[in-house]
Structure formats: C-alpha cells, structure tokens
Amino acid sequence: MLSGWGNYPRVEARLLMARGRDEARAAVSSEASLIARGNGRSYGDAALNPNAVLSMLRSSRMIAFDEESGRLTCEAGVMLADILDVFVPRGWFAPVTPGTKFVTVGGMIASDVHGKNHHGAGSFTEHVDSFDLALADGQVVTCSRSENADLFAATCGGMGLTGTIVSATFRLIRVESPYIRQETRQAANLAEAMALLDQSASSTYSVAWIDCLSTGARMGRSVIFCGEHALPHELPSPPPKADTRTVTMPFHAPAMLLNRWSVSAFNEFYYRRNPAGTAIIPYGPYFYPLDAILAWNRLYGRAGFVQYQCVLPKAAAAEGMATLLRRIAASGKGSFLAVLKQFGATNPHGMLSFPMEGYTLALDFAVDRKTLALLGELDAITGDHGGRIYLAKDACSRPDLLRRGYPRLDEFLAVRHKVDPDNKFSSLLSQRLGL
Amino acid sequence: MSKSVLILGAASDIGLAIAHEFAREKAGVILAAREPGRLEADAVDLRVRYGTEVTVTEFDILRTDRHDAFLDGLPALPDVVVCVVGLLTGQAELVMQTNFNAPALMLEAVAARMEARGTGSIVGISSVAGDRGRASNYVYGSAKAGFTAFLSGLRNRLAAKGVQVVTVKPGFVRTKMTAGMKLPGPITAEPKEVGAAVLAAVERKRDVIYVRPVWRLIMTIIRLIPETIFKRLSL
C-alpha cells in the first residue's frame, strides 16, 4: 500500500526503483503508465499510480559542486536534508526550502515548491538552471530556459507529468552562519496579520501561524515569525546548540483526539507561548519544526488527512481569507497546523507553478465525510476570489477549479501532448483533474 | 580521522554505505569491485560530498591467484580493509567460494602485510546465518560460519601484533541482495546503519558486532535450541 504524506488516499501500487539515468530510462520505457515518486511528501495523490510508481530515492548521488557560484548538480533523488548536511557547514544554504527537509530535488522541481522567502526569492525552480528529463519515448533530454524551454516551463511545477527528472543543476546561496535571527510578533486578528506580513516584505523570511478556530474580533489571530540568516557577530557565545534529537510518532492516533476543544486549547497555548521578541535559533527549528517529530502524519489517525492550501490574489485576499476562515471556524474542523503567508510575483517559467502575488493559507483536516464536503465549499470560495489550489497538497479538488485557477493550463497540456501523447506519465491526481 | 580504507565488494549497498561513513570522517577511500565502471558515479558523489580522495579499482575476489598482486599494486597498504563480498544464492560451489574461500584467502594476504607493519584494522562482513545452519540457507550459512571462525582465529593470532579484526553480523538489511524478500521491520537494518556500525566498531576497537543488538539475543536463543528440537523446526 502506498500513499502520500496525508495517508489519503491509499492504493496498491507496484514500486519500481531506479538508480541513475540509465535505470530510470529503462523503467520509463518498460511501463505503459507510471509516475515518479521522491520521498512521498506530497500530501495527496500526486505520486500515486496503481500501475507503477517509479521511486527515485536511490538516485541519490551528487554530481558536481562549484565552490565559486554555489551551483550544485545532483541526481533527482538526493534529499534536501542531505544537501543541508553537506553544505551548511561549508557556508551554503538552499535558495528556497519547503517546510520539511525530507523532500527530494526532483520532487521540489515537480511541485515547484516555495518557502518562507517566496516574496523575495520566488519559488524553487527559479533557482534551477537545468535538468535532465527522461521522456516517454525513452530519450533523456536536457531542459533549461534556453534549451527545450517549453518543456522546462511545463516541468517546473508539472507534477511529474512531462517525464521523469533524473538530475538537476541549481544554485545554493551563501550564508554566514547556520542560525536564524527570528523576530516574533503577534497579531490580534486577520487584518492585523495581513498588515504585519505586508510590512515584513523586507524580511528575508516571513510566515504566520494562524488560529483558524477563533472567531469574532479575534478571528485570524496570528503569530508572525520573521527571519534573517544571522551574522557571526550576532551569535551569543557559545552559540545555541542545534537539537538534533527526533521522536517518532509510533502509531496512528485515535481519530477523536483532534476535535474543536483540543485544537482550541492547543491554539490558546501556542499563541501565549510565542510572545513578541527576538531570538537567535538554529536553522532547523525555524524552517522545519515538524521534522523533529518523525511520522507526525500519524497524528491524524488511520483515515489520514488532507492539507488544504490555496492562494488568493492580493486584491481579493482580505475578503477571501476572511470568508475562508469564517467557514473553517464554523465547521470546527481546522487543525492547529495552519499557516498564512504572503507570496511575491508568479514564477514566469512554471506553467503550473502554484504561487501568485497574494496570500496563501494552508491547513490540515483529518479525513471524514464532512471534511470532503467542506473542502468542496472552500474550493468554491477560492475559485470565486480568483485563487487556486496547490497540486502538491491536493487530494480532492475537481477539474473546473483547476482550469479557473491555472491560466496557462492549455499551454501545459499542449506541451504534454507533444512529448507524451499516450499519457504514459499519469498519476491519480492527473486522472482526477484531467491533467 | 585521516585514515585510508579499502572496501572489497564496494558496489554493494552495504559497501557503499561503509564508504560514505569513512569518507565523512575524511578518510581516503579505495572502492574495489568487479565492474569498476559502475562505481564512477558513486566515487564522484563521495568526492563532492566530503572532499576526500576516492579511487575506484578493479578487483575480483574469486581470482585468488591475483590477491597478492592486487595488494602490492596499491599505492600504500590501507589502514583499514573491509571485506563486504558475499553471495546469498546460486550454485553451491560459487556460494562457498564467494563467502568463504576467497574472502578468507584475501584477508590472510592483508593480515600478513598488516602484521609486518604492526598496525591496521581488518573488518569482515559475516552473517547471523553463520551462527547456526538452517534448512533455508545452510550453504550460505556454512560458508559464513567458516568465515566467522576464520575471523575469530585471525583476531586471536593478531591480538598482540597491533592489528584489529572485527566480525560484523548485520542481520537482515534492506539491500539489492534482499530486495523482494519479506523482512520484519524492527529487526531489519538500513545499509546506512551497517556503515555507521562498522565505523564505530573500528574506532572503538570492537571484536564482534551485531548491527542491531537484538540480533545477539535472537541468535543466542537459536543456538541454545537442542538439535533434537531444532531439526524439526521450519527455519
């Protein structure tokens, strides 16, 4: 049985392994229908195909690194965690990082992931120079902004549907220390939170944890975390030690553990224990607080969970977010892991790249029948406000919302049809959304 | 550590995992395998990650007549020699050759040179299968039992000569060799764990290690079962 990080849906699937370009090419050639898979951290059904799933996790070799420019070339299955382990001590950091380091380079390109610095740095593939792609016809081609440019643009955020990425070259950034200077601020409601995020546009990193169950005057109360890479002279001496301990969630929690009351109580606690202030912390807890709890997805019980992440364009965001939050608070279903963040401009290259200038909201829901109905309503609100949903999180949405939200969809489909006329690269997500 | 390590059978998942652990500690690494071409990408990977010196060299342990020439052809006798060579299934004679005769003869040649130098570490990857012969894999098990006994004797001989000998019994490991087998999660190790255990065993001067300690208990129990009962079990 295979599933995404949300444990929903689950399917029986044949898992193939490829180590390196030749094995990837051979696997692609031998199957009529397949989808590549990295570390399985997309939440829904993006890396599932009942016929065959091609795991790239063993394609995990680094190929070249240029100490001058920070250019790293590696196989697609190299994990971000490995890159950080190797290069942070040498003064480099990922140009863009999602909220977990347990993702592969191939997965980061296929989902065109974003991070807390999207408003300044854009999404991950904006830092990618080129990649090698195994196509449906068995060829491996190099794609960049100048070579096979349309295939490059369709593959950045293309959810693995144009081919299988076998290796990639992208640029790391220089950092002066492995620490983050974190500035915490509190916002009493949604309007204040959005204003604070707007004001923090000059911060390198910014993100808000948002209480999606509070209502009335406190609706959307938030804690905003801004961050800068700390400079050596800012570090206390001795610098705080990185806590590398992890705990593993040993089993699926009973579904009833998460309810309106337990989540409200957690939110109250979380809001109070994060007062305004500044602190120097290791990069791990700033970027990857949940990575310390291995298998935290079991918190949502055996039935699994879905993460809903949408973005609303700036002009419609204030009204749209308020409508979304009211609907979520009324349902009592929201989880405590809710995030609000401001996005910068859309990636000019990725045809199906998720971010657009505006605000994005992400939160988890344990799966049950009511949740699925609620998600349909949230989709409608998102669509009505000119927004779209993030395919890397999605497990439930429908083709019409995809079409409304992604204006370059036809361009993408044209490229896909050209390189893969028989839809060899196919996932439950692509089948559900008619991609 | 600025040691040098020679890994015999480096193309295996366990061999590569051991290479990563030593390279991370800045050891120079020599990867020896039958098809060195297949290891070039791995050598590049090790160099990019750890900035250490990595060389790939052709070596077929079954060509026992060439063992001495191979060792004499190295730029220097390495500080650590790890033998990962193994074959789980196949024609009985080949399984015996690959798991016992050839590795034992090769490590004997290594031992002579390390003894003369007065320093060194020899690591043999043996198997829990050698702790007691079982119906399902006794050809493999008996060859590993022989290898375990060989390593034990070698350790005894070299104890006072400055040369360390480590016997490693990994238990189940998720590798290409065991792909497709149903392995019980809690007692199955990842190759990375074996690599880390080998490095730790060399650094801490250990003699015999089971990668997951629970295997020591499991094999103690299996060894204690009387033969009259054992022969009726399906193992």
Side-chain angles (χ1 to χ4, degrees):
Chain A
M1 287 294 253
L2 215 53
S3 69
W5 184 242
N7 288 323
Y8 175 86
R10 276 182 240 238
V11 293
E12 283 293 344
R14 223 156 26 93
L15 194 65
L16 314 171
M17 294 272 184
R19 184 165 174 84
R21 145 198 306 252
D22 293 336
E23 288 186 24
R25 191 209 318 242
V28 165
S29 298
S30 67
E31 294 295 331
S33 174
L34 83 165
I35 192 73
R37 181 179 173 97
N39 200 34
R41 287 299 174 117
S42 64
Y43 284 69
D45 50 5
L48 297 177
N49 177 322
N51 180 59
V53 172
L54 176 58
S55 170
M56 295 299 287
L57 270 186
R58 290 173 50 85
S59 292
S60 57
R61 290 171 294 202
M62 297 188 186
I63 298 166
F65 182 67
D66 177 10
E67 293 280 354
E68 290 298 308
S69 63
R71 248 185 206 85
L72 174 66
T73 303
C74 64
E75 291 181 336
V78 168
M79 202 94 85
L80 177 57
D82 274 0
I83 295 172
L84 297 173
D85 280 350
V86 169
F87 292 105
V88 168
R90 285 150 75 170
W92 298 95
F93 198 72
V96 164
T97 171
T100 172
K101 60 185 173 179
F102 300 126
V103 291
T104 62
V105 169
M108 289 198 287
I109 294 172
S111 297
D112 194 15
V113 297
H114 56 268
K116 298 174 171 66
N117 58 352
H118 186 272
H119 54 282
S123 53
F124 182 73
T125 64
E126 293 180 60
H127 305 266
V128 172
D129 289 340
S130 65
F131 46 76
D132 283 3
L133 192 67
L135 300 180
D137 65 5
Q139 277 191 80
V140 176
V141 296
T142 300
C143 305
S144 69
R145 286 172 190 78
S146 54
E147 195 178 349
N148 297 309
D150 55 343
L151 200 45
F152 180 84
T155 304
C156 292
M159 306 309 289
L161 298 171
T162 53
T164 295
I165 300 162
V166 295
S167 63
T169 299
F170 58 98
R171 284 154 282 141
L172 300 180
I173 57 166
R174 273 251 175 243
V175 290
E176 301 241 12
S177 83
Y179 292 91
I180 295 292
R181 189 180 70 247
Q182 173 179 267
E183 200 186 317
T184 307
R185 296 156 95 179
Q186 293 199 326
N189 54 46
L190 178 65
E192 226 179 285
M194 291 175 74
L196 274 179
L197 284 173
D198 212 30
Q199 284 165 31
S200 12
S202 61
S203 297
T204 306
Y205 300 100
S206 69
V207 70
W209 163 86
I210 183 166
D211 179 352
C212 52
L213 286 185
S214 56
T215 52
R218 298 202 305 175
M219 186 181 80
R221 69 172 172 171
S222 300
V223 182
I224 286 106
F225 301 100
C226 292
E228 299 295 335
H229 290 286
L231 301 172
H233 71 82
E234 295 175 321
L235 305 182
S237 121
K241 268 223 155 49
D243 186 352
T244 53
R245 283 173 305 177
T246 55
V247 293
T248 301
M249 181 73 191
F251 49 79
H252 290 278
M256 57 194 287
L257 196 70
L258 291 180
N259 53 49
R260 184 191 294 262
W261 296 278
S262 67
V263 173
S264 292
F266 174 86
N267 286 356
E268 189 63 35
F269 164 78
Y270 193 84
Y271 189 77
R272 283 168 190 271
R273 70 157 272 191
N274 283 290
T278 304
I280 301 280
I281 58 172
Y283 75 89
Y286 182 76
F287 291 106
Y288 316 113
L290 282 172
D291 282 352
I293 310 167
L294 302 177
W296 65 259
N297 52 346
R298 292 177 177 169
L299 211 57
Y300 289 93
R302 205 165 278 284
F305 70 103
V306 287
Q307 182 163 99
Y308 190 78
Q309 181 167 4
C310 63
V311 56
L312 302 182
K314 205 164 184 180
E319 204 268 311
M321 285 295 168
T323 312
L324 285 168
L325 282 179
R326 264 195 300 274
R327 185 64 198 87
I328 292 162
S331 78
K333 285 262 168 221
S335 69
F336 43 82
L337 304 166
V339 165
L340 180 71
K341 148 122 207 86
Q342 189 174 32
F343 275 158
T346 303
N347 177 356
H349 287 282
M351 291 176 185
L352 292 188
S353 187
F354 165 66
M356 66 163 93
E357 189 159 17
Y359 288 84
T360 181
L361 176 71
L363 74 166
D364 301 336
F365 296 97
V367 169
D368 58 36
R369 215 169 341 130
K370 278 192 199 146
T371 302
L372 301 182
L374 173 66
L375 292 179
E377 288 180 53
L378 300 183
D379 268 359
I381 299 171
T382 297
D384 290 345
H385 289 84
R388 60 189 177 214
I389 48 138
Y390 191 10
L391 298 178
K393 308 282 177 79
D394 180 45
C396 306
S397 197
R398 289 190 318 270
D400 55 313
L401 186 75
L402 179 82
R403 182 156 286 283
R404 280 167 82 190
Y406 285 89
R408 297 181 71 186
L409 180 61
D410 285 327
E411 223 181 315
F412 171 83
L413 291 174
V415 175
R416 175 155 150 69
H417 186 71
K418 204 166 71 186
V419 293
D420 184 13
D422 303 323
N423 286 0
K424 172 183 277 217
F425 296 104
S426 166
S427 59
L428 288 183
L429 176 124
S430 75
Q431 291 159 20
R432 176 167 53 79
L433 293 177
L435 260 175
Chain B
M1 185 200 289
S2 57
K3 286 187 172 179
S4 57
V5 57
L6 165 65
I7 299 170
L8 306 169
S12 64
D13 290 326
I14 291 178
L16 278 173
I18 294 168
H20 273 268
E21 295 299 323
F22 279 88
R24 184 177 293 121
E25 298 299 316
K26 305 295 177 207
V29 180
I30 304 171
L31 304 173
R34 254 180 317 181
E35 297 174 66
R38 283 178 46 206
L39 280 172
E40 285 302 339
D42 299 285
V44 169
D45 178 40
L46 290 165
R47 285 183 208 119
V48 171
R49 284 177 193 244
Y50 311 115
T52 186
E53 198 179 316
V54 183
T55 49
V56 181
T57 177
E58 186 182 344
F59 172 68
D60 183 352
I61 203 157
L62 295 175
R63 296 300 305 264
T64 52
D65 55 323
R66 295 194 193 159
H67 286 175
D68 285 313
F70 173 82
L71 287 170
D72 294 336
L74 296 174
L77 183 64
D79 300 302
V80 182
V81 174
V82 185
C83 181
V84 195
V85 174
L87 178 67
L88 187 56
T89 53
Q91 189 217 347
E93 189 173 345
L94 187 63
V95 170
M96 291 173 179
Q97 287 286 355
T98 310
N99 291 303
F100 178 65
N101 295 25
L105 288 168
M106 179 62 185
L107 294 186
E108 187 72 9
V110 170
R113 287 162 175 79
M114 285 188 175
E115 185 179 8
R117 183 176 65 186
T119 60
S121 297
I122 294 172
V123 181
I125 308 296
S126 193
S127 172
V128 297
D131 286 5
R132 191 159 191 180
R134 294 179 292 122
S136 55
N137 64 356
Y138 62 91
V139 176
Y140 174 79
S142 63
K144 286 294 194 185
F147 191 46
T148 298
F150 167 83
L151 291 167
S152 164
L154 193 64
R155 175 163 45 246
N156 191 202
R157 176 185 132 203
L158 297 175
K161 305 284 175 62
V163 180
Q164 176 205 13
V165 178
V166 188
T167 309
V168 180
K169 300 179 184 178
F172 296 144
V173 186
R174 223 175 292 285
T175 64
K176 279 175 293 194
M177 191 169 93
T178 59
M181 289 168 59
K182 273 217 179 307
L183 301 176
I187 57 172
T188 302
E190 295 298 327
K192 194 175 159 55
E193 289 176 65
V194 184
V198 168
L199 177 68
V202 169
E203 284 180 336
R204 293 180 204 152
K205 301 281 173 210
R206 300 280 301 274
D207 297 323
V208 181
I209 61 162
Y210 290 82
V211 171
R212 291 212 168 175
V214 62
W215 276 101
R216 191 181 290 274
L217 177 70
I218 294 171
M219 295 320 295
T220 302
I221 293 167
I222 288 182
R223 271 198 308 264
L224 286 174
I225 301 172
E227 195 67 27
T228 47
I229 298 171
F230 192 80
K231 71 181 178 190
R232 294 197 184 88
L233 301 177
S234 67
L235 286 163

